Amino acid sequence: MRRPMVAGNWKMHGTRASVAELLEGLSDQSLPDSVEVAVFPPLLFIDRVVEGLQNGKIAVGAQNCAVQAEQGALTGETASSQLVDAGCSLVLVGHSERRQVIGEGEQQLIEKFRAAQAAGLTPVLCIGETLEEREAGQTLNIVGSQLGSVIAALGIEAFTHAVIAYEPVWAIGTGLTATPQQAQDVHAAIRAQLTAADAKVAQAVRLLYGGSVKAANAAELFGMPDIDGGLIGGASLNADDFGAICRAAGN
Ligand code: 13P
C-alpha cells in the first residue's frame, strides 16, 4: 500500500505577513495521519515555516536546489545539504516553470536529483507535456522521455527514495484540470515504464498529479488507482482549501 502524499507548492508567493497567516491556518487543519503532507515555501521563508510547523505533521521541502550537494562557491544557489540543515526533507526537481521559464535542462535536473539524494533529500521529479505536445499525440513520448532520462542516468534504484509528479503544463494555473481518466492513463504509463525496469520499485513509488487540483476535484482524481496524491499550486495558498485536499486524499 502506498501512503498518499499531498504537497503544496507555494511557488513565488508570500510575504512575511501572509506566510504567518497561512501557517496559522495550517495549524488549525485536521489532517489525516494516513496522508503525508508537505509544503514547499519560497526559500526565503523555509526557516520560519520549519519553525512554525513544529508539530511535525507537515514536512517542508524546497522548490529547487543546486547541482551540487555540498556548500561551495556558487552564488545565488542553495546546496541540498544546506536545505537538510534548514529542516527540509524534500525538494522539487524539474518543475515545468523551471524547465520552461528558467530554461533548466535535462542534464541540470539530473544533477540536482542526484545532489538532493546525496544529501538525504527526497526529490519530487516533475514531468509533463505542453498543450501543443498533447494535441500532437506526444504526451506519453514526452513524459516517457523525461522520466527515461533520469532512469538512464541514475538507475531505477534512484526511485526507491523519490516521488514523481505528473503535471501537464496546460493544466498548471489555468483552471483546466486533466480529467481523472486522462491523468490515470498517464500515471499508468509512468508506472508501466518503471515496472519494466523494476516491478518492486514501481509498486512503491508515489505518483502525484498536479495541475489545477482543487478541493472540489481532488477526491475524484485521488480515487484513481495510480494517482497517489497531488502537487497543489494555487489552492495550497489557502489553508482551508489545502486542508480539504489533504482530507480528500485520506478517504
Ligand atoms: P496549480 O495547482 O496552481 O495549477 O499549480 C500546479 C503546480 O504547478 C504545482 O507544482
Side-chain angles (χ1 to χ4, degrees), residues 119-196:
L121 292 173
T122 299
V124 179
L125 176 69
C126 305
I127 55 181
E129 83 288 2
T130 63
L131 183 59
E132 210 176 24
E133 290 161 344
R134 173 162 284 264
E135 285 175 344
Q138 290 301 309
T139 299
L140 297 185
N141 287 343
I142 296 293
V143 168
S145 109
Q146 290 171 339
L147 174 60
S149 64
V150 181
I151 299 176
L154 304 180
I156 187 68
E157 311 74 42
F159 287 87
T160 50
H161 296 290
V163 174
I164 297 171
Y166 168 57
E167 298 204 305
V169 178
W170 50 272
I172 294 178
T174 57
L176 280 179
T177 317
T179 66
Q181 193 57 54
Q182 278 176 323
Q184 166 60 25
D185 289 348
V186 180
H187 282 227
I190 293 170
R191 195 156 337 259
Q193 185 176 358
L194 295 164
T195 302

